[in-house]
Amino acid sequence: RKSVVRITTGSQALDELLGGGIETLCITEAFGEFRSGKTQLAHTLCVSTQLPIHMHGGNGKVAYIDTEGTFRPERIVPIAERFGMDPNAVLDNIIYARAYTYEHQYNLLLGLAAKMAEEPFRLLIVDSVIALFRVDFSGRGELAERQQKLAQMLSRLTKIAEEFNVAVYITNQVIADPGGGMFITDPKKPAGGHVLAHAATIRLMLRKGKGEQRVCKIFDAPNLPEGEAVFQVTSGGIMD
Ligand code: ADP
Ligand code: MG
């Protein structure tokens, strides 16, 4: 049996909320509005995953699937420096791919799995997991097919997490909730419906606070107490 590795987010408060960091062997989802910090957390994890285990890293490489074109290699440089790492070495250990359709996104995962069989990876990022589905299946009556394809993609991600002992970090969008009592205080909910709800083990809701502050709330996680953590987005990445 593979043993779980927890990767630091860069913020002690957020790590504590997560029981030590982002876990391998499962999917962690972050959803929240534009600029809530989902992609900045992804950038920080790209670096912290490469830290040795005793520094709360994963001692492994990172695969990054970008569907929105928001990965910035130059952002990695100050984050690597903040952790005392060589930025070029860190960048060399991030395998990056831009996906343009949901099928392309799926095929990239197949290719990555082959790579993971050969090299030690500890993190797979898909930012965002749902954006292309919402574009490729935008027509009326396409929802059932979209959900079926989304389920296929998520089951592939779960398989990768378990087979290669990697943490899978996916980002998701929020959509307006059409009604119902559950979201009366905040009329927004994560996209992807039940399919995504079932696939993601740990669901995090991010929101903007004051200034550079961001708030992370546990939306759903079987083993974590409910709670919130406040962190900052800085040039050196996520911090307390
Ligand atoms: P999301 O992916 O949730 O839409 P992002 O992770 O892209 O949001 O967060 C964007 C925010 O991150 C910006 O609004 C800005 O506040 C902050 N940010 C981005 N780069 C830097 C930086 N170099 N220094 C400080 N804050 C930054
Ligand atoms: Mg983003």
Side-chain angles (χ1 to χ4, degrees):
R1 216 186 124 74
K2 300 177 179 89
S3 56
V4 59
V5 177
R6 289 184 180 82
I7 299 162
T8 180
T9 61
S11 153
Q12 210 174 323
L14 187 50
D15 285 353
E16 276 167 23
L17 183 74
L18 297 173
I22 300 276
E23 289 185 10
T24 61
L25 297 169
C26 72
I27 298 179
T28 300
E29 170 200 358
F31 68 89
E33 297 193 48
F34 181 56
R35 292 195 155 182
S36 58
K38 305 179 295 291
T39 298
Q40 292 303 312
L41 178 54
H43 281 73
T44 304
L45 291 169
C46 277
V47 179
S48 64
T49 297
Q50 300 186 43
L51 286 166
I53 302 283
H54 73 269
M55 291 176 78
H56 309 291
N59 194 30
K61 299 187 184 210
V62 178
Y64 198 120
I65 296 181
D66 184 1
T67 69
E68 297 180 319
T70 51
F71 178 72
R72 294 286 173 276
E74 62 273 20
R75 285 289 297 119
I76 297 299
V77 175
I79 300 173
E81 285 166 349
R82 169 249 177 133
F83 284 106
M85 301 170 87
D86 171 15
N88 289 322
V90 168
L91 280 166
D92 279 346
N93 285 324
I94 303 169
I95 306 324
Y96 171 85
R98 175 89 160 87
Y100 293 97
T101 66
Y102 84 90
E103 284 159 310
H104 187 199
Q105 187 175 334
Y106 189 80
N107 290 333
L108 286 169
L109 288 181
L110 301 182
L112 279 173
K115 241 186 160 43
M116 287 180 183
E118 289 164 8
E119 296 166 47
F121 279 79
R122 208 48 84 215
L123 175 68
L124 167 60
I125 292 166
V126 186
D127 182 21
S128 111
V129 80
I130 199 144
L132 295 173
F133 287 87
R134 298 189 74 198
V135 174
D136 297 342
F137 299 96
S138 58
R140 276 172 186 238
E142 288 187 298
L143 189 62
E145 193 191 350
R146 184 194 91 172
Q147 289 303 87
Q148 190 207 330
K149 300 288 187 194
L150 181 62
Q152 233 170 56
M153 168 108 39
L154 292 164
S155 117
R156 175 62 54 179
L157 289 172
T158 300
K159 205 168 163 217
I160 287 175
E162 292 173 357
E163 188 171 351
F164 302 109
N165 195 10
V166 305
V168 174
Y169 172 77
I170 61 175
T171 67
N172 186 13
Q173 299 162 333
V174 284
I175 53 173
D177 187 48
M182 224 177 132
F183 297 97
I184 267 173
T185 51
D186 183 2
K188 293 273 170 48
K189 64 175 186 178
H194 294 296
V195 164
L196 196 36
H198 285 126
T201 306
I202 297 164
R203 313 194 82 191
L204 306 174
M205 184 162 69
L206 303 189
R207 67 170 194 269
K208 286 190 80 164
K210 285 183 200 144
E212 300 313 303
Q213 278 188 353
R214 298 293 184 275
V215 183
C216 175
K217 185 179 161 65
I218 303 279
F219 184 75
D220 188 22
N223 303 315
L224 297 174
E226 283 186 29
E228 286 191 349
V230 177
F231 61 92
Q232 320 265 342
V233 183
T234 74
S235 105
I238 300 302
M239 284 189 201
D240 280 311

